[in-house]
Amino acid sequence: MKKIALFIIFLAVVVSSCKDAITEYNPSGLTAEAVYTTPEGFESLVNAAYSYQRWWYGKEEAYNISEMGTDIWTSAAGDVFPDLSQYINLQGTNAPLSSEWTALYAGVNLCNAGINRIGDVNFTPVMKAQREAELRFLRAFYYWHIVETWGGVHFTLEETKGISTTANKTPVETFYKQIFEDLQFATKNLASTTTNYGRVTKPAAMAFLARMYLTRGMNAEANNMANSVLKGNFGYKLEANYADLWKMSNNQNKEILYAVNYSANLTLNDLYNSTTNVTGHGRGSNNGHLHFLMKYDNLPGMLRDITYGRPFNRYMPTRFLLDLYGPADARYEGSFMEVWLANSGTRPTGMKLGDTAVVATRKSLAKPAGALYTLVDRNAIYNTDGTAKNNLVYPTLTKHMDNTRSSANEAQSARDAYVIRLAEVYLIAAEAQMKLGKLDSAAINMNIVRTRAAKPGKQADMQIAASQVTLDFILDERAREFAGEQLRWFDLKRTGKLVERVKAHNPNATGIQSFHTTRPIPRAQLDAVTNRVEFAQNEGYQ
């Protein structure tokens, strides 16, 4: 999967909304019907179907959709999409939503093409079942992102071969009926392991199916499926040290059930391929390392370097998020950085290279007399009501940083984007059990995750009792565990807590209203269809 071959010779991966078909020069004269009946040609289709995950995972556009506008992140000075972050005049002209709509439907279209053509391919029965299961997983995967983001929008199981000028509005239940059917097929037919990292496996599909059951309130099914993963002897385990999850040297580890992988050879990561480069601004690969970094390189004693990253200063944590981590919880230090060491030849007199140059902390601190470093404490970062006072300097999320980049200004990263970790499976089980009234079991599963999160010698302090297990506590726990991992907006929507918790904990997101639990359909889509009465904009948007 590190060398995804985009061998799309004839098949137009347009969605039903597109005005213009993709035109490709085909010197061989081969048709899709001929190419995709060969095992080699069909493999290229499957590889291309995987590639559209890279439009979402590790990309700025999707971070804005999936993490911003929640209770745990707010706009830093460099935020370029405040309509998503603060719900200020969010409309169908929003660029990230338009980009992701196009990419997700293109992925669905390739999956539909492959699923409907695989019967003509000269595969062994085992290989045929495996590849169809992969495509069915991917179709469910893409449709989940679509239906949760936009609600009951366009749905089809047929390949779009040309320009279509109509679209349908399909009930959410229809999407999920197909998602469950596809994932159940996938869990029955996928291999349990793969030598080709990045391909979906049986336990990964099972974990995703558990997430889908939880999303639809099918709590008994979610609990059973999550426990099937946890007890299935698939070889997965929690990393002993939370901080180790984010080391580039540990990029592929036993906690990761599924990841969207990126190559250390950056030329393989779609930077210059207009078919798969969602951004269009020269930042292929995983660019998550850019967006959560505070502006440090203009402060005394500091210059931009590989270690501290290239600060785009897009997103900053809410005060609420920083305060969620207790003193015994190692996930704060494993997720955030508060101290920057002097790395510049231009330094305050008396400050040496390697001395503390900047402290940006969630604590209330007074600067010691004679201290040379710059101190920005919680009272300098946040106003008393929690709104941002200083959105340039703040504790920085380190999960996505990459010290293996070739230069300080390199915008691409080879870091894989984690989609499903084993820790999530424990918390899926816990949430389902809580909703089933099995609070003791829920506490046991939560305590497994919390024990791993404990600082040395503090395991007992991290344990919770069954009486503490509530939906809000689970959401707090998921924030501590998964902050910045492209889950938060979906977690809040799934639990019906989006509006309530944003209003309570993100005072910068002043524009949120009840209809914001779905996003606006892209204006380009609406302008392209001829049946606009039937395919109208989502409620609340123009």
Side-chain angles (χ1 to χ4, degrees):
M1 296 302 294
K2 292 292 188 184
K3 297 182 179 180
I4 292 173
L6 296 175
F7 188 45
I8 307 172
I9 294 179
F10 178 81
L11 183 64
V13 290
V14 295
V15 301
S16 62
S17 66
C18 288
K19 291 181 178 179
D20 300 314
I22 294 174
T23 302
E24 298 201 18
Y25 175 51
N26 180 14
S28 66
L30 295 175
T31 64
E33 284 71 17
V35 171
Y36 293 133
T37 57
T38 68
E40 296 81 5
F42 197 86
E43 290 289 349
S44 72
L45 182 151
V46 175
N47 289 346
Y50 273 99
S51 72
Y52 284 94
Q53 296 174 107
R54 289 178 171 176
W55 288 67
W56 187 277
Y57 287 93
K59 292 296 190 293
E60 178 178 1
E61 289 78 1
Y63 280 115
N64 274 275
I65 297 169
S66 58
E67 288 289 327
M68 297 299 285
T70 67
D71 52 348
I72 63 174
W73 299 107
T74 192
S75 298
D79 184 11
V80 293
F81 300 113
D83 48 350
L84 283 169
S85 307
Q86 302 170 37
Y87 302 95
I88 297 174
N89 194 31
L90 178 60
Q91 299 295 341
T93 52
N94 177 267
L97 289 171
S98 297
S99 295
E100 297 299 339
W101 172 282
T102 302
L104 291 168
Y105 272 110
V108 167
N109 198 52
L110 270 177
C111 293
N112 286 342
I115 292 165
N116 293 330
R117 293 169 183 268
I118 197 167
D120 298 326
V121 184
N122 186 24
F123 277 143
T124 66
V126 172
M127 181 59 73
K128 185 173 292 186
Q130 169 72 22
R131 292 296 183 255
E132 182 175 351
E134 290 179 67
L135 289 171
R136 283 180 176 263
F137 170 85
L138 290 170
R139 181 167 68 183
F141 190 76
Y142 293 135
Y143 264 145
W144 174 71
H145 288 81
I146 289 169
V147 72
E148 285 300 309
T149 303
W150 290 284
V153 286
H154 185 73
F155 176 85
T156 182
L157 301 179
E158 300 300 321
E159 171 191 353
T160 300
K161 297 182 179 180
I163 298 173
S164 177
T165 60
T166 61
N168 61 64
K169 280 289 189 81
T170 301
V172 169
E173 291 74 17
T174 302
F175 278 85
Y176 273 101
K177 180 177 182 294
Q178 189 62 48
I179 286 171
F180 289 136
E181 181 180 316
D182 283 345
L183 290 177
Q184 287 159 2
F185 182 94
T187 59
K188 291 177 182 177
N189 291 281
L190 286 168
S192 294
T193 61
T194 179
T195 58
N196 198 352
Y197 187 81
R199 288 192 185 275
V200 65
T201 60
K202 180 184 182 73
M206 293 168 64
F208 190 69
L209 180 54
R211 187 196 286 179
M212 296 301 96
Y213 283 140
L214 191 68
T215 300
R216 298 305 290 166
M218 301 169 67
N219 299 309
E221 293 86 347
N223 181 40
N224 292 337
M225 188 58 63
N227 278 307
S228 294
V229 177
L230 297 173
K231 299 175 182 178
N233 296 318
F234 293 114
Y236 294 97
K237 62 179 182 179
L238 296 179
E239 279 291 306
N241 184 342
Y242 184 83
D244 289 346
L245 280 165
W246 317 110
K247 292 180 178 178
M248 286 300 293
S249 59
N250 196 34
N251 200 19
Q252 298 176 12
N253 59 73
K254 290 295 185 179
E255 185 167 335
I256 310 307
L257 280 91
Y258 191 56
V260 174
N261 64 318
Y262 287 95
S263 176
N265 182 348
L266 301 181
T267 62
L268 301 178
N269 288 334
D270 311 321
L271 176 61
Y272 300 113
N273 192 312
S274 61
T275 305
T276 57
N277 178 17
V278 63
T279 63
H281 47 43
R283 296 198 299 275
S285 296
N286 186 336
N287 58 59
H289 62 101
L290 302 167
H291 310 305
F292 294 89
L293 306 186
M294 76 165 204
K295 183 67 172 170
Y296 69 90
D297 52 353
N298 62 339
L299 298 176
M302 299 302 303
L303 55 77
R304 183 182 301 181
D305 68 4
I306 294 173
T307 299
Y308 292 127
R310 181 177 175 182
F312 272 31
N313 190 218
R314 299 281 200 250
Y315 323 132
M316 64 181 288
T318 60
R319 188 175 64 182
F320 168 73
L321 173 58
L322 299 182
D323 289 346
L324 282 177
Y325 300 89
D329 197 330
R331 287 173 296 192
Y332 182 71
E333 288 82 2
S335 301
F336 288 93
M337 177 169 58
E338 290 194 341
V339 176
W340 286 253
L341 303 181
N343 64 0
S344 171
T346 304
R347 302 182 301 278
T349 302
M351 180 183 289
K352 301 176 182 178
L353 287 174
D355 285 353
T356 298
V358 179
V359 175
T361 178
R362 62 175 177 162
K363 299 176 182 178
S364 297
L365 295 178
K367 186 175 178 180
L372 300 176
Y373 59 82
T374 300
L375 172 65
V376 183
D377 77 342
R378 70 184 285 116
N379 299 317
I381 299 170
Y382 302 101
N383 294 305
T384 55
D385 63 356
T387 55
K389 178 188 294 185
N390 183 343
N391 58 5
L392 284 167
V393 182
Y394 44 81
T396 283
L397 186 76
T398 57
K399 286 181 177 180
H400 307 304
M401 294 178 73
D402 179 2
N403 60 3
T404 70
R405 294 174 303 118
S406 60
S407 70
N409 288 326
E410 177 56 70
Q412 297 195 77
S413 169
R415 177 180 289 281
D416 293 338
Y418 299 157
V419 178
I420 305 173
R421 296 198 276 114
L422 191 63
E424 184 186 355
V425 183
Y426 281 109
L427 295 184
I428 287 172
E431 185 174 333
Q433 290 158 355
M434 183 271 295
K435 292 176 178 176
L436 293 168
K438 301 178 179 180
L439 298 183
D440 289 337
S441 297
I444 289 170
N445 279 308
M446 293 188 72
N447 281 333
I448 291 172
V449 175
R450 289 176 63 82
T451 297
R452 188 273 295 276
K455 293 179 179 178
K458 298 293 184 180
Q459 288 82 359
D461 295 346
M462 289 291 286
Q463 304 306 292
I464 61 167
S467 60
Q468 294 175 265
V469 180
T470 65
L471 184 56
D472 280 312
F473 190 92
I474 288 173
L475 284 171
D476 290 349
E477 189 67 20
R478 290 182 67 93
R480 288 183 281 261
E481 183 71 29
F482 304 120
E485 296 181 54
Q486 298 188 247
L487 281 171
R488 191 59 177 179
W489 191 87
F490 297 106
D491 283 346
L492 296 184
K493 176 180 178 176
R494 168 176 55 77
T495 56
K497 292 278 190 175
L498 178 66
V499 177
E500 173 190 330
R501 286 182 67 111
V502 169
K503 286 184 174 181
H505 304 305
N506 187 352
N508 287 103
T510 56
I512 192 166
Q513 300 182 53
S514 59
F515 64 82
H516 285 128
T517 53
T518 55
R519 308 295 198 173
I521 297 171
R523 184 73 53 79
Q525 162 71 68
L526 297 175
D527 291 344
V529 299
T530 56
N531 62 331
R532 289 198 62 176
V533 173
E534 297 84 4
F535 195 81
Q537 179 60 276
N538 283 337
E539 180 183 355
Y541 302 106
Q542 299 176 2

